[in-house]
Amino acid sequence: KNEVEQSPQNLTAQEGEFITINCSYSVGISALHWLQQHPGGGIVSLFMLSSGKKKHGRLIATINIQEKHSSLHITASHPRDSAVYICALYNNNDMRFGAGTRLTVKP
Amino acid sequence: ETGVTQTPRHLVMGMTNKKSLKCEQHLGHNAMYWYKQSAKKPLELMFVYNFKEQTENNSVPSRFSPECPNSSHLFLHLHTLQPEDSALYLCASSQSRGGPQHFGDGTRLSIL
């Protein structure tokens, strides 16, 4: 079993829909990072969190340390949100990456 | 503009060539990283430099040779690569080891 599991692997939504991407993990962590990778490869950091919830614009990230689970939510999704979303675990100096969730938002 | 610049963006090379990938950051960060991203696979951490010293080498073949001359620049020297080395190579930096990372746009490498 992978240490980091993301679901779903692929997600297609209509513009305006509420999106949820999940990340479950099996190891202890000091923080969790949500990354966005657009076609072409560039990666943008969205959130880094170790507890609770963070919000930035239409994006919300939550984490439950006891349940070893984090979610990334996108409200009022837009075609420009189409990208691969990657969950990354930090444990002191060690990092583990999820395989990513490919999101396509159709107009 | 991410603050981390990688050159070239694309590179095609033969298996016997020698080339170098360059990464530059002017964010004042002290840690720099090289990652490999193959098709349909998670990011793989290759090397970590912290204050110009290599702190991690994740069992990377010797045909990949990193160099960090100063805290703003990171190179990945390539020689006698194999077709399976074709991938996107990403550089990142962070203020400190374990902090949030800023990524470059990557170099897409194709080995003929």
Side-chain angles (χ1 to χ4, degrees), chain A residues 30-92:
Chain A
S30 54
L32 184 144
H33 207 167
W34 280 104
L35 306 169
Q36 180 192 55
Q37 186 172 30
H38 279 282
I43 292 179
V44 174
S45 169
L46 297 176
F47 296 103
M48 189 167 186
L49 65 167
S50 54
S51 65
K53 175 179 171 179
K54 286 190 176 181
K55 184 177 189 293
H56 186 257
R58 294 180 295 107
L59 301 178
I60 302 167
T62 64
I63 188 168
N64 185 318
I65 296 293
Q66 287 74 29
E67 294 185 4
K68 292 185 164 56
H69 182 269
S70 176
S71 292
L72 177 68
H73 305 286
I74 305 175
T75 60
S77 59
H78 190 276
R80 65 175 175 268
D81 297 326
S82 298
V84 176
Y85 292 84
I86 300 169
C87 164
L89 309 181
Y90 284 69
N91 182 11
N92 297 319

Side-chain angles (χ1 to χ4, degrees), chain B residues 34 36 44-47 54 56-66 76-82 84-86 89:
Chain B
W34 277 118
K36 176 183 179 183
E44 300 171 52
L45 180 64
M46 300 175 72
F47 301 104
Q54 186 180 127
E56 282 182 53
N57 175 341
N58 284 346
S59 304
V60 181
S62 59
R63 57 186 184 269
F64 295 92
S65 174
L76 187 62
H77 304 299
L78 317 171
H79 63 97
T80 58
L81 295 192
Q82 304 299 310
E84 62 265 28
D85 297 323
S86 297
Y89 289 84

Side-chain angles (χ1 to χ4, degrees), chain B:
Chain B
E1 176 60 51
T2 66
V4 180
T5 304
Q6 288 189 243
T7 55
R9 290 297 310 277
H10 301 273
L11 179 61
V12 180
M13 56 188 283
M15 289 192 285
T16 58
N17 291 157
K18 289 184 181 181
K19 295 285 185 184
S20 296
L21 310 185
K22 180 181 176 183
C23 177
E24 186 173 354
Q25 59 91 7
H26 295 289
L27 300 169
H29 289 173
N30 297 308
M32 295 188 78
Y33 313 77
W34 277 118
Y35 291 93
K36 176 183 179 183
Q37 188 178 38
S38 302
K40 302 189 186 302
K41 288 187 178 180
L43 280 165
E44 300 171 52
L45 180 64
M46 300 175 72
F47 301 104
V48 181
Y49 277 81
N50 200 23
F51 292 95
K52 301 188 296 177
E53 298 295 322
Q54 186 180 127
T55 58
E56 282 182 53
N57 175 341
N58 284 346
S59 304
V60 181
S62 59
R63 57 186 184 269
F64 295 92
S65 174
E67 179 190 2
C68 188
N70 55 61
S71 58
S72 298
H73 294 86
L74 185 65
F75 295 90
L76 187 62
H77 304 299
L78 317 171
H79 63 97
T80 58
L81 295 192
Q82 304 299 310
E84 62 265 28
D85 297 323
S86 297
L88 180 69
Y89 289 84
L90 288 152
C91 172
S93 69
S94 61
Q95 179 62 45
S96 60
R97 183 75 176 97
Q101 295 181 23
H102 295 243
F103 285 81
D105 289 333
T107 295
R108 191 162 295 281
L109 176 66
S110 298
I111 306 300
L112 302 178

